[in-house]
Amino acid sequence: MNAPGPNISDSRAVIRQLDDGIINRIAAGEVVERPASAVKELVENALDAGATRIGVTIADGGRSLIRVEDDGSGIAPGELPLALARHATSKLGGGDLLDIHSFGFRGEALASLAAVGRLVLSSRAPGHDGAAIAAEGGAIGPVRPAALSRGTVVELRDLFFATPARLKFLRSERAEGQAVAEMLRRLALAEPQVGFTLRDITGGEERVILRLPAESGDLSDARLARIGRVMGRDFAQNAVAIDAAREGLRLTGHVSLPTFSRGTGVAQHLQVNGRPVRDRQLLGALRAAYGDLLPRDRHPLAVLRLDCPVREVDVNVHPAKSEVRFRDAGLVRGLIVTAIRHALAEEGLRTSSTLAGAALGAMSRPPAAGPHQWQPRRWQPDRPAPAALRAAHAAQAPGFGEAAAGFAPSARVDAPAPGGEDLPLGAARAQVHGTYIIAQTADGVVIVDQHAAHERLVYERLKRQMAENGVAAQALLIPQVVEMAPDEAAQILELAGDLARIGLLLEPFGPGAVALRETPAALGEVDGAALLRDILDELAEDGASRTLGDRLDAILSRMACHGSVRAGRALRGDEMNALLREMEATPRSGQCNHGRPTWVELKLADIERLFARR
Ligand code: ADP
Ligand code: MG
């Protein structure tokens, strides 16, 4: 048999050293994937040079032109050829790859860009005249004088003209342009004290896409101001401040309330020692922190900065340095997960302040066609309501993360409840459509979704019991025999030990059946067959990739749904008030297990506006 192999022939080819042009083009393939990555490299160079103002201009999504100007330290004329040479850098003085304090250190970016595009590097260092050097497809020209007052300008035209294969992988000009803007936002969030401008030239017309002035004040004020400008006021209003430290690591920043989420992870900005990263482990930790507060297809917003001794982290794992490796990955994950969980639990009842705005907006507009299903996208109103605007104003004050919605849950729970109006969720006045509890508060009206709220309460109760002595179970008078496929029965019985800890006592009952003997007391009377079916569904869902703890949490969450006050059940006044008081006392009760809010408050002032009373 003579199967043709790759390039196996009789005439053996000799081994040859690749020439620099090819080496640079190969390296460029790793460093410069698309215009946004070229912009990243150039802007990082400007930041390393201590720039305070950085201007980026692109044309045709960055394909025909990328220009980055800075007011940084500049390059002396004699060093210009070296700047374009491969593996030439001014940033690795000691040659220690674990002692890195700059964005760059590999000395590859300019050489790579010069190999795949037409590049002109002009610069002026203090005490020198301005000078420029040009390179095209790797061929480097002489150093010439250039008129320039200070700093550096890199102009890159016709990116990838020398590597047409790469051109084919680029997306539309619009998509590439957006990626450039996104990249700049990521860098801008990490460097609030530097001013950034992004301009786009289309059809000869220049437009400013992004203008972020250098933020003044101390670093934390500057960061907050920059976050507001980049992420929008909605985020500022619905953010929770994070500040936690452990064993030399420090995590600071802001994350969104679970009721303020997005359909993708685009709004998750993570920085390690000031370097923006898209690191899977860190993103996974962020996700895990929201574990049972958000459904799997919703994503929190976040701007988080992790600071650690430089020796704890290796940034040299990927040419673009977007992935990092920690010496103690478990420690980092633990810090992120606990810090965020703790901060969210402290928020207790708080739900997205934009919800009430959305509700009021919908009331003052004609009703939309079709059923009013929960749609996360609608949570973000196209324009903020007056209450939201006021909250936005409040959000500018220091410490906005703690209590923009206006109450400190645990502090007031124990207060006596005569009328209850002074309590956060007020005094229950009515139940409507057998589904919603209407309560009166000091300055507004609260509407509670009784099913969603009760489901969360039952879930939190189950989790609490599990963390303490195990979930309290109650024996069924007559064990319930539930039939299922033999392999399903085997699968669920395999977990019998763990399920017993969460209050479900199961026994084998011949092939294809199990006997349910005990169920969690907190659930009250449940339909055992439906409950087990749900647990099987949960197990079928990508179970392998999750830890046992996560799976048990997910099972608890599903069980809670079975034990909840169903929509449609009439509640007495004392039952309604009891539900409100328990919500106030229970952490994370502002959203149900699917990330939906459990309640909204309409302020009297806004209701009055609806009726044009103001
Ligand atoms: P690296 O950033 O890894 O050092 P680069 O190829 O990006 O590699 O840049 C090579 C060198 O050129 C840098 O080390 C720096 O000395 C110089 N340089 C590049 N861009 C600038 C700039 N905007 N201002 C000042 N010096 C620069
Ligand atoms: Mg660089």
Side-chain angles (χ1 to χ4, degrees):
M1 282 269 292
N2 264 336
N7 268 339
I8 298 175
S9 67
D10 294 337
S11 58
R12 199 180 63 82
V14 291
I15 301 176
R16 255 186 317 232
Q17 180 73 42
L18 295 178
D19 70 42
D20 280 356
I22 293 182
I23 293 174
N24 283 337
R25 285 204 290 280
I26 292 172
E30 297 177 325
V31 185
V32 194
E33 221 180 322
R34 54 194 303 196
S37 30
V39 168
K40 167 181 178 290
E41 294 296 333
L42 296 175
V43 170
E44 288 184 349
N45 278 348
L47 291 168
D48 281 342
T52 62
R53 244 163 264 281
I54 300 176
V56 180
T57 308
I58 59 171
D60 307 315
R63 278 179 192 217
S64 56
L65 172 73
I66 294 172
R67 184 171 53 232
V68 177
E69 302 170 54
D70 68 59
D71 60 356
S73 58
I75 307 171
E79 288 176 23
L80 284 174
L82 259 188
L84 296 189
R86 188 171 156 75
H87 300 318
T89 178
S90 57
K91 304 172 193 174
L92 213 59
D96 183 350
L97 274 176
L98 279 178
D99 189 20
I100 287 164
H101 299 269
S102 54
F103 285 108
F105 57 83
R106 300 167 60 109
E108 279 185 328
L110 289 183
S112 299
L113 293 173
V116 296
R118 300 181 220 276
L119 183 135
V120 179
L121 168 64
S122 322
S123 194
R124 181 167 182 182
H128 292 274
D129 291 331
I133 187 167
E136 197 170 309
I140 300 178
V143 177
R144 299 165 191 275
L148 193 77
S149 59
R150 66 177 298 194
T152 302
V153 183
V154 180
E155 201 169 271
L156 180 64
R157 291 187 182 272
D158 306 326
L159 182 62
F160 300 134
F161 89 96
T163 48
R166 176 68 63 166
L167 264 184
K168 294 205 185 86
F169 286 96
L170 292 188
R171 292 191 284 148
S172 69
E173 282 170 15
R174 214 172 136 251
E176 295 299 341
Q178 277 168 354
V180 168
E182 190 50 42
M183 180 62 75
L184 213 55
R185 281 194 200 97
R186 283 186 185 284
L187 287 161
L189 281 169
E191 295 282 344
Q193 289 162 328
V194 176
F196 292 86
T197 316
L198 174 63
R199 295 187 173 80
D200 174 73
I201 304 176
T202 306
E205 213 177 295
E206 196 176 287
R207 275 188 318 139
V208 173
I209 305 290
L210 200 65
R211 192 191 299 278
L212 299 166
E215 304 291 351
S216 52
D218 72 15
L219 189 57
S220 97
D221 287 350
R223 282 172 66 188
L224 215 55
R226 179 60 56 91
I227 286 174
R229 258 186 241 276
V230 173
M231 309 277 289
R233 285 192 152 195
D234 274 0
F235 177 65
Q237 285 167 48
N238 293 292
V240 178
I242 306 289
D243 188 351
R246 185 188 287 182
E247 294 178 41
L249 304 181
R250 177 138 187 241
L251 184 74
T252 50
H254 294 84
V255 298
S256 62
L257 288 170
T259 42
F260 189 76
S261 63
R262 294 192 49 171
T264 71
V266 283
Q268 299 176 345
H269 298 273
L270 306 180
Q271 299 148 16
V272 174
N273 289 340
R275 179 191 302 280
V277 296
R278 285 302 284 169
D279 184 80
R280 253 175 288 143
Q281 282 182 45
L282 297 179
L283 292 170
L286 173 62
R287 169 80 254 179
Y290 280 78
D292 57 10
L293 292 168
L294 272 182
R296 265 166 238 158
D297 58 347
R298 301 296 301 170
H299 305 266
L301 292 77
V303 181
L304 286 174
R305 180 184 165 117
L306 183 72
D307 285 286
C308 63
V310 288
R311 300 195 160 271
E312 293 294 308
V313 58
D314 185 357
V315 293
N316 193 26
V317 257
H318 186 266
K321 311 179 193 90
S322 56
E323 296 259 331
V324 290
R325 292 279 176 283
F326 293 98
R327 212 166 53 84
D328 189 346
L331 177 68
V332 173
R333 183 183 167 90
L335 173 65
I336 295 177
V337 173
T338 20
I340 297 176
R341 283 204 179 149
H342 183 75
L344 292 177
E346 297 270 289
E347 293 298 326
L349 271 178
R350 205 179 138 200
T351 70
S352 168
S353 64
T354 47
L355 294 173
L360 286 162
M363 280 187 224
S364 49
R365 262 180 252 134
H372 273 260
Q373 291 281 320
W374 170 69
Q375 287 185 359
R377 252 167 274 112
R378 292 224 187 115
W379 296 0
Q380 293 155 33
D382 7 32
R383 67 202 147 86
L389 274 179
R390 248 174 284 133
H393 189 68
Q396 304 301 316
F400 76 86
E402 286 126 46
F407 36 82
S410 45
R412 296 202 200 166
V413 216
D414 297 331
E421 281 96 344
D422 293 335
L423 293 169
L425 294 181
R429 287 279 182 258
Q431 182 194 35
V432 295
H433 294 289
T435 305
Y436 301 105
I437 298 168
I438 310 289
Q440 179 173 332
T441 57
D443 60 349
V445 173
V446 158
I447 306 173
V448 174
D449 176 336
Q450 67 184 43
H451 173 65
H454 193 253
E455 178 184 299
R456 188 76 205 180
L457 292 179
V458 170
Y459 175 54
E460 291 293 339
R461 209 180 297 160
L462 289 171
K463 276 202 303 184
R464 205 160 52 232
Q465 291 180 358
M466 186 156 107
E468 287 160 8
N469 311 309
V471 172
Q474 75 188 8
L476 301 178
L477 280 180
I478 308 162
Q480 193 178 352
V481 175
V482 181
E483 308 216 354
M484 56 187 76
D487 61 318
E488 291 179 324
Q491 195 191 2
I492 210 163
L493 284 168
E494 234 174 73
L495 276 182
D498 298 301
L499 293 175
R501 282 201 295 135
I502 59 176
L504 273 181
L505 193 64
L506 293 172
E507 281 170 6
F509 200 82
V514 298
L516 184 57
R517 295 196 156 273
E518 293 179 5
T519 55
L523 297 187
E525 223 173 278
V526 288
D527 174 351
L531 182 58
L532 293 189
R533 170 88 5 237
D534 245 18
I535 293 177
L536 281 169
D537 288 348
E538 188 55 52
L539 293 177
E541 261 183 55
D542 59 53
S545 66
R546 288 183 291 149
T547 64
L548 179 65
D550 287 347
R551 284 160 89 186
L552 289 180
D553 268 357
I555 290 173
L556 282 183
S557 162
R558 290 211 181 207
M559 292 205 312
C561 195
H562 285 268
S564 307
V565 181
R566 286 279 155 197
R569 214 197 95 190
L571 294 180
R572 294 189 315 268
D574 57 334
E575 288 178 313
M576 291 192 279
N577 277 315
L579 187 80
L580 300 184
R581 301 294 82 85
E582 195 179 342
M583 285 173 73
E584 285 160 357
T586 304
R588 295 174 292 267
S589 61
Q591 60 277 310
C592 78
N593 303 350
H594 314 285
R596 293 192 289 263
T598 54
W599 63 282
V600 290
E601 180 172 25
L602 306 180
K603 292 288 180 197
L604 207 51
D606 293 326
I607 297 174
E608 282 169 352
R609 287 172 60 93
L610 273 183
F611 294 99
R613 287 175 70 139
R614 292 170 155 221

